[in-house]
């Protein structure tokens, strides 16, 4: 695997902004603490952008993470990840376990805040919710590429991404 032509390693870590499926912040931290943490840790972090997004979504920077709902914690973590000027954003299940309104807000943050000329890779099983933001789809199973297609190709086939997903990963049950 190469990122921007470089083998994966220390050099490529600076090019990738990663959103894990689960939060990794200490619950006792305040939102402002995690913003400061990202500012200290990542050279390409845009603190003003992060604070603006937190404000736009009505998230109190003085609040402790342990007092926030799951959806709000997800928003905070996503805002931090999307406030970097990365070349590649890897988002693992960014909308899992949150309500439909929060899903929509999270997708809007993703679509409106990635760096120019960057790639956003979303790993998800909630295809219907994210289908509207795809340019292309890559389906991987058992370490093998099962499908690599543009949305235009899928649309022209007369099927939805979810239909294709069901075909590709059908177990014949």
């Amino acid at each position: 695997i190469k990122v921007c032509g470089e083998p994966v390693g220390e050099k490529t870590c600076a090019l990738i902004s990663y959103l894990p499926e689960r939060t990794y912040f200490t619950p006792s931290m305040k939102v402002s603490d995690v913003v400061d943490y990202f500012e200290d840790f990542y050279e390409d972090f845009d603190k003003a952008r992060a604070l603006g997004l937190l404000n736009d979504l009505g998230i109190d920077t003085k609040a402790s993470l342990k007092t926030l709902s799951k959806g709000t914690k997800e928003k905070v973590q996503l805002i931090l990840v999307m406030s970097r000027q990365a070349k590649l954003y890897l988002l693992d299940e960014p909308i899992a376990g949150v309500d439909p309104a929060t899903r929509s807000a999270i997708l809007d943050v993703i679509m409106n805040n990635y760096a120019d000329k960057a790639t956003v890779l979303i790993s998800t099983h909630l295809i219907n919710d994210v289908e509207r933001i795809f340019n292309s789809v890559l389906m991987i199973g058992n370490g093998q590429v099962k499908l690599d297609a543009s949305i235009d190709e899928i649309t022209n086939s007369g099927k939805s991404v979810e239909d294709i997903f069901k075909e590709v990963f059908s177990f014949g049950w």
Side-chain angles (χ1 to χ4, degrees), residues 3-71:
V3 176
C4 298
E6 297 288 332
V8 174
E10 188 175 325
K11 190 173 184 179
T12 59
C13 287
L15 304 174
I16 300 169
S17 193
Y18 174 61
L19 176 73
E21 183 177 2
R22 293 189 179 97
T23 186
Y24 51 88
F25 298 123
T26 305
S28 62
M29 294 176 82
K30 293 180 183 171
V31 174
S32 61
D33 295 335
V34 295
V35 170
D36 291 342
Y37 174 81
F38 261 61
E39 182 181 35
D40 289 345
F41 199 80
Y42 298 106
E43 288 183 29
D44 64 354
F45 181 71
D46 185 340
K47 184 176 183 176
R49 175 189 274 178
L51 292 173
L53 286 167
L54 290 164
N55 184 59
D56 291 348
L57 294 176
I59 299 171
D60 181 4
T61 58
K62 295 175 186 144
S64 172
L65 293 176
K66 66 183 168 192
T67 66
L68 303 178
S69 69
K70 178 177 172 126

Side-chain angles (χ1 to χ4, degrees), residues 89 91-95 107-108 110-112 114 118-140 147-155 159-166 169:
Y89 297 88
L91 312 177
D92 187 9
E93 298 288 354
I95 58 172
L107 293 174
D108 289 344
I110 293 168
M111 292 308 301
N112 296 322
Y114 62 91
T119 298
V120 179
L121 191 138
I122 300 172
S123 171
T124 187
H125 293 91
L126 300 171
I127 297 166
N128 279 335
D129 293 304
V130 297
E131 188 169 352
R132 70 177 170 93
I133 68 170
F134 290 153
N135 290 330
S136 60
V137 176
L138 182 67
M139 295 183 188
I140 301 172
L147 175 81
D148 183 359
S150 72
I151 286 298
D152 290 340
E153 291 172 306
I154 292 171
T155 303
K159 298 178 182 177
S160 70
V161 174
E162 185 169 13
D163 292 336
I164 300 291
F165 179 85
K166 288 176 184 175
F169 294 104

